[in-house]
Every structure is written in structure tokens, then in C-alpha cells.
Amino acid sequence: MSSLSAASVEIPAVTGGTEEKKKPLKPCCACPETKKVRDACIIEKGEENCRDLIEAHKDCMRSLGFKI
């Protein structure tokens, strides 16, 4: 019975680590909150009027490890 509980404990740990290695965070999926607001601003007001939102999105991306 202890081998069953050991196997059930190991499976989630291995699966979680494998998923992270197989599916790293893609830039297109990172920071959806700042990306959505930034994109809406650029469409409505133009890139030159949305510098603060663009920088906020870049800061978010950098905090996740992306080199921007």
C-alpha cells in the first residue's frame, strides 16, 4: 500500500515538471492584462500616445524573464 501512495505522489511532481519543460511560456501568451490594454490603446490612439502602456507591458515581460 505504501508503494501506491509513493507512486501517486511522484506522478504529479513529474507531470508538473515535464509540462513546464515541454511548454515554456510564449511571449504571445505572457502578460495578457497589459497586452490587451496596450493593444487597445495603440489601435484607438496610436503608438506615440501609448508609451506608458507599452513600457508597462515591457516591464511585465521582463519580470517573466523575456529579454526585451
Side-chain angles (χ1 to χ4, degrees), residues 14-26:
V14 171
T15 303
T18 305
E19 286 178 11
E20 289 178 16
K21 290 180 183 177
K22 285 184 180 179
K23 297 182 180 180
L25 185 60
K26 296 178 183 179

Side-chain angles (χ1 to χ4, degrees), residues 48-60:
E48 61 280 351
N49 297 313
C50 301
R51 299 277 181 217
D52 57 334
L53 295 174
I54 293 169
E55 287 305 315
H57 184 62
K58 286 181 181 179
D59 289 342
C60 181

Side-chain angles (χ1 to χ4, degrees), residues 25 30-31 59-66:
L25 185 60
C31 303
D59 289 342
C60 181
M61 297 286 287
R62 287 184 191 114
S63 73
L64 294 175
F66 293 99

